[in-house]
Amino acid sequence: MVRTARYSEEHFIDAATALVAEGGPGAATMQAIARRVGAPTGSIYHRFESRSAILAAAWNASYGSLAGVLVPLLQAGSPREAALALLPWAEEDRQRARFLLQHEPVTLFEDAPPPERLRQEMEKLESEMDGAFRTCIAQVGAGASPEEDLARAKFLIFDAPIAIIRPHLLAKGAIPTFAGQMIAELHAAVPLAHAGKRGAGMRAA
Amino acid sequence: MVRTARYSEEHFIDAATALVAEGGPGAATMQAIARRVGAPTGSIYHRFESRSAILAAAWNASYGSLAGVLVPLLQAGSPREAALALLPWAEEDRQRARFLLQHEPVTLFEDAPPPERLRQEMEKLESEMDGAFRTCIAQVGAGASPEEDLARAKFLIFDAPIAIIRPHLLAKGAIPTFAGQMIAELHAAVPLAHAGKRGAGMRAA
DNA sequence: ACTGTTCTAGAATGGTCGGTCTATATCCTG
DNA sequence: CAGGATATAGACCGACCATTCTAGAACAGT
């Protein structure tokens, strides 16, 4: 009853992801996406109502892939394993990693906000991840204010490993083995809940 | 003999810096910069030959400000002090910090490369910072390959503190005090040259 | 007061962008 | 073996961008 589609949603999302990963949000023009897929620009609008919609879909796919790896480990109360899991994830899904790791979602949608459906999916993914972080903290045991505990966990499990991996993602080469060692060392030396020493216990020498 | 200038280079650089810090590179259009300064668009071209030139100048000003703080401390062999110095720097010069901390220089110049003069200044600043890192490593004493030592130092002194500070820079509020404590704790727990335990000594439990 | 240079001022230009429109091809269903 | 829904295909549109251009204003030295 219908003509079969030659280009799938995924094609366009992947192209947009790659373009943003390589050249920033500005590089992902509708024409560039279409050219990369080999489709006419008009075809994109059969699947996405706007440029924001593609970018949001790309963000959801990337962030969802990340959450799929991280959330189970966080909920299991394994912060160290979660941090280390970022490494193979980034290596296997380099484009999505680069897409996520260099751009704040804020700058992705400078002009038009993404459609409601996608905006809600974004928020759901973010709150899912956030909840997993809180679950992990609750299991491991916290030390200070909830705000500080969360900031601490996000740094140790997410931002710090990312900071370690990022230079190697931007360069072409593979991620060196010492990156994993640095993450492991960090988690051995700096506990998520800074151990029971009286007070805060984290003033440095 | 000449008409006095009403808008200085600095005016335009500051406006461009603020726009990029707030909305990403795409927000810093020539018209937006001019509007923010209150000047006509044409006036910008009396001081900068192109948009890339302003962005490069803004980058140089921001990175130069950062280097001015970091380089002396690195050359003095004080990695901990350097890392902690990022905090007041970011707080006092929020816009420059945000400009630098959320965007890779790569994505700033998607289309046209900046003029030669500015490109060389960028490279000079970067190699100056790089040299300071190496000097610091040499003083403190290294542990592994030069490549790993450098990656380690950059993480501990620059990227990790940045990762700690970034969420608070993107939010509006002040940087909480526990951010400084986290940086201090990190440096107390994870030495730049991982202490003399046999071999690499950084495998975690 | 005049001159010449350097600036402001903002309209004009050519190119590209996101998004729409019309025409045509494809292929499942009946 | 049609009918018609859904796709491709790409020209087209108005908006906006970086950059250029023309006109006039301001000031230093005479």
Side-chain angles (χ1 to χ4, degrees):
Chain A
M1 199 181 182
V2 295
R3 175 174 182 177
T4 55
R6 181 190 296 209
Y7 314 106
S8 68
E9 272 196 25
E10 251 207 340
H11 283 140
F12 294 117
I13 291 178
D14 288 350
T17 304
L19 285 166
V20 173
E22 290 162 14
T29 68
M30 294 305 260
Q31 338 226 4
I33 296 170
R35 202 178 317 132
R36 190 163 182 129
V37 170
T41 64
S43 286
I44 305 182
Y45 288 90
H46 278 269
R47 322 216 175 287
F48 301 94
E49 54 183 282
S50 67
R51 193 180 97 106
S52 302
I54 300 196
L55 293 181
W59 193 89
N60 283 340
S62 297
Y63 199 79
S65 156
L66 175 67
V69 168
L70 239 46
V71 166
L73 291 169
L74 289 173
Q75 283 175 339
S78 312
R80 201 183 90 106
E81 284 68 23
L84 285 168
L86 282 175
L87 215 64
W89 172 78
E91 207 139 33
E92 282 165 27
D93 216 343
R94 229 175 154 90
Q95 262 171 6
R96 282 179 173 169
R98 284 191 60 167
F99 177 99
L100 273 190
L101 304 190
Q102 49 180 318
H103 307 287
E104 300 294 329
V106 188
T107 86
L108 263 185
F109 311 109
E110 287 158 18
D111 12 273
E116 194 51 26
R117 193 179 58 78
L118 289 165
R119 236 182 50 79
Q120 284 179 1
E121 195 183 334
M122 288 180 63
E123 280 174 16
K124 199 187 125 209
L125 282 170
E126 280 185 325
S127 75
E128 187 187 336
M129 189 80 98
D130 225 62
F133 270 106
R134 290 180 204 278
T135 304
C136 185
I137 292 169
Q139 283 182 266
V140 172
S145 70
E147 186 202 353
E148 179 176 345
D149 285 336
L150 188 61
R152 224 182 141 76
K154 284 188 174 173
F155 170 72
L156 285 172
I157 299 170
F158 187 76
D159 294 316
I162 287 314
I164 291 173
I165 295 171
R166 178 184 280 135
H168 309 292
L169 273 181
L170 296 180
K172 288 272 177 184
I175 301 174
T177 49
F178 66 72
Q181 295 173 335
M182 282 174 66
I183 296 175
E185 182 185 0
L186 177 69
H187 274 258
V190 183
L192 207 166
H194 29 89
K197 300 225 171 129
R198 69 228 153 76
M202 57 184 154
R203 262 279 216 16
Chain B
M1 199 179 184
V2 294
R3 174 174 183 176
T4 56
R6 184 169 182 168
Y7 313 107
S8 68
E9 272 197 26
E10 250 206 341
H11 283 141
F12 294 117
I13 292 180
D14 288 350
T17 304
L19 285 166
V20 173
E22 290 163 14
T29 68
M30 294 305 260
Q31 339 228 2
I33 296 170
R35 201 178 318 130
R36 189 161 183 132
V37 170
T41 63
S43 285
I44 306 182
Y45 288 90
H46 278 270
R47 324 217 173 287
F48 301 94
E49 55 183 283
S50 67
R51 193 179 98 103
S52 303
I54 299 197
L55 293 181
W59 194 91
N60 284 340
S62 297
Y63 199 79
S65 156
L66 175 68
V69 169
L70 240 47
V71 166
L73 292 169
L74 289 173
Q75 283 176 340
S78 311
R80 201 184 90 105
E81 285 68 24
L84 286 169
L86 282 175
L87 216 63
W89 172 79
E91 208 140 28
E92 282 165 26
D93 216 344
R94 231 177 153 89
Q95 262 170 9
R96 282 178 174 169
R98 284 190 60 166
F99 177 99
L100 272 189
L101 304 191
Q102 48 179 318
H103 307 286
E104 299 293 331
V106 189
T107 86
L108 264 186
F109 312 108
E110 289 158 13
D111 11 271
E116 195 51 26
R117 194 179 58 80
L118 289 165
R119 238 182 49 79
Q120 285 180 359
E121 196 183 333
M122 289 180 62
E123 280 174 16
K124 200 187 127 208
L125 281 170
E126 280 185 326
S127 75
E128 185 187 336
M129 189 80 98
D130 226 63
F133 270 107
R134 291 180 204 278
T135 303
C136 184
I137 293 169
Q139 283 182 266
V140 172
S145 69
E147 185 202 354
E148 181 177 345
D149 286 334
L150 188 60
R152 223 182 144 77
K154 285 188 172 173
F155 170 72
L156 287 173
I157 299 170
F158 187 77
D159 294 317
I162 287 313
I164 291 174
I165 295 173
R166 178 183 281 137
H168 310 293
L169 272 181
L170 296 180
K172 287 270 177 186
I175 302 174
T177 49
F178 66 71
Q181 296 173 335
M182 282 173 65
I183 296 174
E185 182 186 0
L186 177 69
H187 274 257
V190 183
L192 207 166
H194 30 88
K197 300 226 170 127
R198 70 231 152 73
M202 60 185 155
R203 262 276 218 15

